[in-house]
Amino acid sequence: MKNDKATNNLIQNGDFEKTQNTQWMYSLTGNPIEVSEEEHEGKNSYVEIKTTQSIFQRTRFQPNDSGTITLSIRGMLPVIVSVMDASLADPAVYWSGEATPDNSNEWKVETLAFALGDKLGSDLSLHFQAKWDQNADATVDIDNIKIESEAGAAINHGDFENGATSWTDSLTGSAIQTSDEDVVEKNHFARIHPTESIFQRHAFKSNQSGTIKGKLRGVLGATVAILDASTPDAKPYWSTNIAGSHTDFTEFTADFNLGDVDGQDLCLHFQADYHQNPDEYVDIDDVSMTINQ
């Protein structure tokens, strides 16, 4: 069952057409899954899961996220769809639903609505497990998996309390250096020197809007942008400048509204303004992003 790839999908390789699989893992063991091919209006790849077996993909869910999970399903077994920890022996489950095929050779499209709470783990996944069946040969086929998030915070570790987790610097892929200081208690933040930058990848959608908030301190200001991390020299899809010269952390708010977004590796990017003194800096902290419905 072949569909056009959705541009707003938060899942990578949800149609399984890339059979050299690096995104999907099998049964929480860390091994690549096996996919099957068949002739059905052209070659189509999908995943076959046997009773009690599972597949998962690490996915950036956020506290209080809500939205829909859509998949094509066929075969004999229902599938338990969950948002859960990926790396724990006894993983916490933050949401689950069930998709049921028609016990036939025909594909069926199922859509499940999900809503998450405000306390989530740090290594999350979208997990599909075939239900138990006394017939050990019973299987279910899954294809065309898509997540659409409706609203909610959309930045991981924006307070930098876990150091550089989820952030990289200057579009090189290196971990940024974060600093700490005593302000009531230990506080972590990102310090950026002239023309240096930090960014975090996010699956922005065409015509999406939202609000970016944070705190800024230092002589330098910063340019906040949404751009393609693989082509950083290209024109940003959106950008704005936050003025500097703040001796204390000062809150900023920036509303964005995107047009057509055709990049495949999008990110939220902060770049420090130029200054002739390379020792000047801007400190960034408590970054958050809310996506409008």
Side-chain angles (χ1 to χ4, degrees), residues 87-98:
S87 57
L88 301 179
D90 185 18
V93 177
Y94 303 101
W95 169 88
S96 66
E98 187 170 308

Side-chain angles (χ1 to χ4, degrees), residues 3-286:
N3 288 343
D4 292 335
K5 185 176 180 180
T7 58
N8 56 358
N9 194 359
L10 302 184
I11 283 290
Q12 299 182 66
N13 197 24
D15 57 8
F16 301 99
E17 297 307 310
K18 294 179 180 177
T19 55
Q20 294 296 318
N21 228 307
T22 58
Q23 299 89 1
W24 290 99
M25 311 303 286
Y26 175 74
S27 296
L28 291 172
T29 63
N31 298 317
I33 64 167
E34 297 291 331
V35 295
S36 303
E37 297 178 353
E38 65 168 355
E39 294 293 331
H40 184 87
E41 298 178 354
K43 182 182 290 186
N44 176 55
S45 299
Y46 57 92
V47 64
E48 179 183 87
I49 312 177
K50 296 180 180 179
T51 179
T52 73
Q53 292 183 342
S54 67
I55 63 169
F56 74 97
Q57 182 174 139
R58 283 180 166 85
T59 312
R60 287 185 177 179
F61 291 101
Q62 305 295 334
N64 303 311
D65 262 357
S66 62
T68 57
I69 299 166
T70 303
L71 67 151
S72 300
I73 185 172
R74 73 174 177 186
M76 302 171 63
L77 302 175
V79 172
I80 300 171
V81 185
S82 304
V83 176
M84 64 193 304
D85 285 314
S87 57
L88 301 179
D90 185 18
V93 177
Y94 303 101
W95 169 88
S96 66
E98 187 170 308
T100 305
D102 287 334
N103 295 321
S104 70
N105 292 325
E106 299 296 323
W107 288 100
K108 175 186 178 184
V109 177
E110 286 271 88
T111 299
L112 305 174
F114 72 91
L116 303 178
D118 59 358
K119 297 185 183 300
L120 302 177
S122 60
D123 186 15
L124 300 180
S125 68
L126 181 63
H127 184 267
F128 296 82
Q129 180 168 324
K131 290 191 74 172
W132 180 85
D133 191 277
Q134 61 185 0
N135 180 1
D137 294 326
T139 63
V140 60
D141 299 332
I142 296 176
D143 202 359
N144 298 321
I145 298 168
K146 182 173 67 174
I147 299 177
E148 292 184 284
S149 182
E150 294 179 354
I155 286 293
N156 286 323
H157 305 295
D159 59 6
F160 299 99
E161 296 309 307
N162 291 310
T165 302
S166 301
W167 295 91
T168 49
D169 84 329
S170 297
L171 294 169
T172 65
S174 302
I176 65 169
Q177 296 298 311
T178 57
S179 303
D180 58 66
E181 64 172 351
D182 286 321
V183 180
V184 182
E185 58 185 12
K186 183 176 287 187
N187 175 55
H188 294 263
F189 53 89
R191 175 161 290 180
I192 316 174
H193 290 92
T195 73
E196 292 181 346
S197 66
I198 63 171
F199 73 96
Q200 184 173 138
R201 286 178 168 84
H202 179 77
F204 291 100
K205 306 174 187 178
S206 293
N207 304 313
Q208 198 169 54
S209 63
T211 301
I212 298 161
K213 295 182 179 181
K215 296 177 181 177
L216 179 147
R217 177 183 65 180
V219 170
L220 303 182
T223 298
V224 186
I226 294 171
L227 50 80
D228 193 327
S230 62
T231 55
D233 293 334
K235 182 179 179 181
Y237 295 104
W238 168 87
S239 67
T240 190
N241 186 260
I242 308 298
S245 298
H246 299 287
T247 56
D248 295 318
F249 274 112
T250 302
E251 293 185 354
F252 68 84
T253 299
D255 295 325
F256 69 89
N257 199 330
L258 300 176
D260 290 335
V261 174
D262 56 6
Q264 298 300 309
D265 190 16
L266 302 182
C267 67
L268 178 64
H269 183 267
F270 291 84
Q271 180 167 318
D273 292 343
Y274 169 79
H275 196 282
Q276 60 185 3
N277 182 356
D279 293 328
E280 295 294 354
Y281 56 84
V282 58
D283 294 335
I284 303 289
D285 201 2
D286 294 329

